[in-house]
């Protein structure tokens, strides 16, 4: 609102959310999503406990991190670079704190010669569509929803659920079982390192 009041141009620098939803849904394995959930649980508890959880790093889930963070870091950085080239005044980027290190790294690398290459194709990590529909599709969808619930607002979760295609009949039961398992407090506590469990007991 402040930008509109003073007549500043506002640019949406991220890619459409649907692109991210679809890539996560189709290209990330169940095993990688499990690692992503574990990492995000540790990150969330570290924030609550005001503790630097050195072993909580989404990068341990290489596929999820690549789509959810790295690709979008590149897109956001390219948007800032493009805006700065077309503006004579200061450009301000408003991004999530998790994207700042990647944007800074990309900016400082000064790879302007490759800024026109789409980040999906320039990615070092080769992602392939996940095979096995049916049951595994339900498991992956449930894990993806749980990860998004742990890392984003409820509005983002609802938006993703609206946009992703319905599951086939054979995937519904595995989806429900996986949602129940990964939604239980016992499962989430089992993902925490011993040091954090000890602190939880002290609360």
């Amino acid at each position: 609102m402040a930008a509109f009041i003073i007549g500043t141009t506002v640019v949406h620098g991220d890619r459409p959310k649907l692109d991210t939803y679809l890539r996560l849904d189709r290209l990330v394995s169940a095993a990688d999503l499990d690692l992503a959930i574990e990492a995000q649980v540790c990150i969330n508890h570290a924030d609550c406990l005001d503790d630097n959880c050195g072993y909580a790093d989404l990068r341990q889930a290489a596929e999820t991190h690549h789509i959810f963070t790295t690709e979008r870091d590149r897109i956001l950085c390219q948007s800032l670079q493009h805006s700065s080239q077309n503006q004579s005044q200061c450009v301000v980027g408003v991004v999530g704190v998790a994207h700042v290190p990647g944007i800074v790294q990309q900016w400082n690398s000064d790879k302007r010669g490759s800024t026109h290459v789409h980040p999906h194709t320039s990615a070092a990590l080769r992602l392939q569509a996940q095979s096995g529909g049916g049951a595994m599709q339900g498991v992956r969808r449930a894990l993806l929803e749980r990860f998004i619930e742990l890392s984003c607002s409820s509005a983002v979760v609802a938006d993703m659920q609206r946009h992703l295609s319905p599951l086939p009949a054979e995937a519904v039961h595995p989806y429900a079982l996986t949602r129940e398992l990964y939604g239980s407090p016992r499962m989430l506590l089992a993902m925490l390192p011993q040091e954090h469990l000890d602190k939880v007991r002290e609360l």
Side-chain angles (χ1 to χ4, degrees), residues 11-16 20 67-84 91-104 106-107 115 119:
V11 178
H12 179 70
D14 203 350
R15 68 182 170 198
T20 299
I67 294 173
F68 192 67
T69 306
T70 305
E71 288 181 351
R72 292 171 59 220
D73 289 347
R74 291 173 177 159
I75 294 169
L76 291 165
C77 183
Q78 290 172 11
S79 296
L80 287 169
Q81 290 174 338
H82 179 74
S83 297
S84 66
V91 174
V92 178
V94 181
V95 300
V97 66
H99 289 288
V100 173
I103 293 173
V104 171
Q106 181 75 13
W107 186 280
T115 55

Side-chain angles (χ1 to χ4, degrees), residues 103-175:
I103 293 173
V104 171
Q105 182 180 19
Q106 181 75 13
W107 186 280
N108 290 338
S109 68
D110 197 27
K111 295 180 179 178
R112 293 184 181 273
S114 62
T115 55
H116 297 294
V117 178
H118 198 282
H120 294 179
T121 59
S122 63
L125 182 65
R126 297 293 179 182
L127 297 171
Q128 296 181 344
Q130 291 296 306
S131 60
M136 282 308 300
Q137 185 179 356
V139 170
R140 290 201 313 273
R141 178 69 62 82
L143 293 173
L144 172 57
E145 288 184 3
R146 194 68 185 110
F147 168 69
I148 296 299
E149 286 171 352
L150 291 166
S151 56
C152 301
S153 68
S154 58
V156 174
V157 178
D159 186 61
M160 183 180 73
Q161 291 172 331
R162 282 195 303 270
H163 283 89
L164 291 182
S165 59
L167 292 170
E170 64 271 20
V172 173
H173 188 56
Y175 165 85

Side-chain angles (χ1 to χ4, degrees), residues 44-83:
N44 292 354
H45 275 81
D47 290 341
C48 292
L49 297 172
D50 195 24
D51 179 32
N52 183 16
C53 188
Y55 20 68
D57 191 338
L58 187 57
R59 285 177 294 183
Q60 72 183 36
E63 299 166 7
T64 304
H65 180 264
H66 186 78
I67 294 173
F68 192 67
T69 306
T70 305
E71 288 181 351
R72 292 171 59 220
D73 289 347
R74 291 173 177 159
I75 294 169
L76 291 165
C77 183
Q78 290 172 11
S79 296
L80 287 169
Q81 290 174 338
H82 179 74
S83 297

